Amino acid sequence: MTSAAAAGAPPGPAAPKSRKSVTGTRRTVAALFLLPALVLLGALVVYPIGYSVVRSFYNASGDGFAGVDNYKALFTDDGIRTALKNNIVWVVFAPAVSTALGLVFAVLTERVRWGTAFKLVVFMPMAISMLAAGIIFRLVYDQDPDKGVANAVWVGVHDTFAQSSAFPRAHPGRESPLKPDQGGFVTTAPVHTGRPVTLPLVGVAPDQMPDGAKKAVAARPDPARITGTTWQDFTRGKGVGKLGAPDPSELGYAGMRIEAVKDGKVVATTEAAGDGTFTLPAKADGALLRLPASNFREPYNGVDWLGPALVTPAVIGSYVWMWAGFAMVLIAAGLAGVPRELLEAARVDGANEWQVFRKVTVPLLAPVLAVVVVTLMINVLKVFDLVYIIAPGSSQDDANVLALELYRKGFAEGRPGIASAIAVFLLLLVIPVMLFNIRRLRREVRR
């Protein structure tokens, strides 16, 4: 044997695999790694979207083909139109306000020692679920000032400048010398000096009497003045106390305003003391005594935050409370990457802090601001929890949004075809925002 193999020589190196086969192997391995994710994506995203699209062309029973009737209802149904209008308000204001507050917080806390603690407090609402936040703000916006924080503050500020009356439900009782007059009460006969006047009223609960109220006493006659008493002419217990005269257990109307009126003009005014007694000068002789309507003004009960007019701004306020911290953290991260030499150069050139902020900081933060705004826009298009929980049943129609209307149509009204059409419509609204975000990210990568 003359060949190398016959001589016992070792075999030569194996022929290298072709580049095409290596590439195919890598693609196969990559496909195997991606397969679980693709299966989940198809099962949880692609299939539901496709099923919703198909279902949106069927009627409520699912047996008959409805064509585009469900999509026509998007623009003819009053509930859906209201929801669409509210979604526009949400998309315009909620991301803008949240981003603006986040920008202000991020910039202002950059130079203070306790900035980190402040950011932590502002970001903390992000740890709260939408359900919990909705319950919190349902209580915050409660109409009763004793429960709702918003109205407690509002009423406190209002009463600082315009004190409410302590006698909103006071009125004359039996055999009273008073009669109604322009929201208040007036005596049926003129008064004269030297003859004490009695102005008995009822209707104020004992625990609602003014703090300065004391036991009522009968006024002493004064020949040079008009004297009298106004008090709560009511004593608990049948047959207890004397009608039309102060009893030891009855309280005076402290602070009650009394006017002496002659020929339609007020000639003298006074306020009752703690025991209900009052005194008017001699010029009030022959006048009628009037208890003006200001004495009986209903107490200010605050703002109807969850009424039809304010429910949407109120719910947006709760959303801003939650998401301003998210915006602040992202913007603060972007602010940390801003070259300080540019800011210092602007200050050296004579720019004040507002000009530095407006013409240097904000333009440099534009990519970060775009990320925050786009993220929040996508988020508010899907808002459901806050509106469903915060808005009471009486004004939920006025606060309606597309996600809530989808739920109501699909589960409360039994119209899954229209609910599917709303879902598809929401998807179509989100797609342009997502495409804008993808294009912006690609431009950033090219840079």
Side-chain angles (χ1 to χ4, degrees), residues 19-110:
R19 182 175 300 177
K20 185 175 181 181
S21 103
V22 172
T23 304
T25 302
R26 289 178 178 176
R27 287 179 177 175
T28 302
V29 172
L32 290 175
F33 275 105
L34 290 174
L35 183 60
L38 292 174
V39 171
L40 289 175
L41 184 67
L44 301 178
V45 177
V46 177
Y47 173 74
I49 291 176
Y51 183 79
S52 296
V53 172
V54 172
R55 193 70 185 79
S56 67
F57 292 103
Y58 283 82
N59 58 19
S61 64
D63 300 329
F65 186 75
V68 295
D69 291 346
N70 291 329
Y71 289 94
K72 289 180 181 178
L74 297 180
F75 304 98
T76 57
D77 185 278
D78 290 338
I80 300 177
R81 290 168 63 183
T82 301
L84 181 58
K85 291 176 184 177
N86 286 336
N87 263 104
I88 294 173
V89 174
W90 272 88
V91 169
V92 171
F93 290 100
V97 175
S98 299
T99 305
L101 283 177
L103 176 61
V104 171
F105 290 156
V107 172
L108 292 182
T109 56
E110 189 185 24

Side-chain angles (χ1 to χ4, degrees), residues 370-420:
V371 170
V372 174
V373 170
V374 170
T375 303
L376 294 181
M377 286 176 66
I378 295 174
N379 187 266
V380 299
L381 283 172
K382 303 180 295 179
V383 69
F384 164 79
D385 318 59
L386 292 177
V387 180
Y388 183 72
I389 297 168
I390 296 177
S394 59
S395 58
Q396 197 170 87
D397 289 342
D398 300 282
N400 200 10
V401 290
L402 287 174
L404 177 58
E405 187 65 15
L406 186 156
Y407 168 81
R408 294 168 70 176
K409 286 286 189 289
F411 298 97
E413 300 179 17
R415 303 169 71 183
I418 294 181
S420 299

